């Protein structure tokens, strides 16, 4: 039996545009509604979730391809690329456990429906929407003049944004 592709929705924007805050508020809102939510965050830089000196860090340093840490509350699998190319968006999506919705933070260039987050304090203020046909709405902390036919939300109106996303991806009623 093949695993079906989950419902996905993206949050795009420049650095400091409010993507992470919006993602956190949306995860909270959707889980309070009874949905199972997963997230994918794309980083444009090297990152590490392991601590220097920890046993798992030592396993990776020794050359392990994958290191899995398991406890009674969570598990994490760290996969070292070791010179291999970054996995595609679809490969990462396929590794996730079944859920109701995957919120994607980053992956600006992926052809997925997304909301563009805009803040006046963002690193760049150049709008993404005019060049990206997959942006279906804008969430901003300031008035938006260039929205065209796109829906526009206050960046902090989590309920309205969650309702918009749920309708857009066809979430339906949460599982009981």
């Amino acid at each position: 039996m093949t695993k079906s592709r989950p419902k996905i929705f993206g949050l795009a924007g420049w650095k400091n545009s409010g993507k992470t805050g919006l993602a956190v508020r949306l995860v909270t809102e959707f889980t309070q509604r009874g949905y199972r939510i997963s997230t994918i965050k794309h980083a444009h830089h090297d990152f590490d979730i392991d601590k220097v000196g920890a046993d798992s860090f030592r396993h990776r340093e020794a050359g392990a391809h994958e290191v899995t840490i398991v406890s009674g509350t969570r598990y994490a699998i760290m996969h070292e690329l070791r010179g291999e190319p970054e996995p595609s968006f679809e490969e990462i999506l396929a590794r996730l456990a079944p859920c109701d919705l995957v919120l994607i933070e980053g992956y600006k260039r992926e052809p997925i429906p997304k909301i563009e987050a805009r803040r006046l304090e963002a690193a760049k203020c150049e709008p993404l929407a005019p060049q990206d046909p997959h942006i279906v709405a804008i969430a901003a902390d300031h008035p938006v003049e260039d929205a065209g036919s796109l829906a526009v939300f206050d960046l902090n109106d989590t309920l309205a944004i969650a309702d918009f996303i749920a309708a857009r991806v066809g979430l339906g009623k949460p599982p009981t």
Side-chain angles (χ1 to χ4, degrees):
M1 182 169 124
T2 26
K3 188 167 105 173
S4 65
R5 189 173 195 254
K7 294 178 185 327
I8 59 174
F9 198 90
L11 306 171
W14 300 109
K15 184 177 180 177
N16 296 324
S17 63
K19 298 181 305 291
T20 300
L22 179 57
V24 169
R25 292 190 308 274
L26 287 169
V27 169
T28 300
E29 177 61 27
F30 282 124
T31 55
Q32 286 176 346
R33 293 181 185 191
Y35 295 105
R36 179 180 274 182
I37 304 299
S38 293
T39 64
I40 298 175
K41 160 73 174 144
H42 187 259
H44 291 287
H45 49 81
D46 191 19
F47 70 93
D48 205 336
I49 61 170
D50 212 355
K51 291 182 182 140
V52 174
D55 293 348
S56 54
F57 182 90
R58 294 174 63 201
H59 294 188
R60 285 191 306 135
E61 288 293 296
H65 182 63
E66 285 192 329
V67 176
T68 305
I69 306 169
V70 182
S71 76
T73 54
R74 73 186 54 88
Y75 73 89
I77 300 173
M78 289 174 286
H79 181 99
E80 289 294 316
L81 293 176
R82 305 219 185 272
E84 293 293 316
E86 179 180 321
S88 73
F89 174 74
E90 292 297 331
E91 289 171 314
I92 296 300
L93 200 57
R95 288 186 138 225
L96 295 179
C99 62
D100 298 310
L101 174 67
V102 181
L103 287 174
I104 314 296
E105 182 182 342
Y107 283 104
K108 274 198 283 280
R109 311 271 182 254
E110 283 299 318
I112 60 173
K114 56 188 94 109
I115 285 181
E116 178 182 350
R118 294 183 186 176
R119 285 182 58 218
L120 289 174
E121 291 91 34
K124 289 172 103 176
C125 291
E126 177 188 335
L128 298 172
Q131 286 75 41
D132 186 345
H134 302 286
I135 291 176
V136 295
I138 297 168
D141 71 350
H142 58 279
V144 175
E145 305 295 327
D146 60 347
S149 62
L150 299 178
V152 177
F153 299 95
D154 181 289
L155 186 58
N156 294 311
D157 193 351
T158 307
L159 293 177
I161 296 170
D163 289 344
F164 176 83
I165 292 170
R168 183 76 191 200
V169 301
L171 262 185
K173 295 205 181 289
T176 53

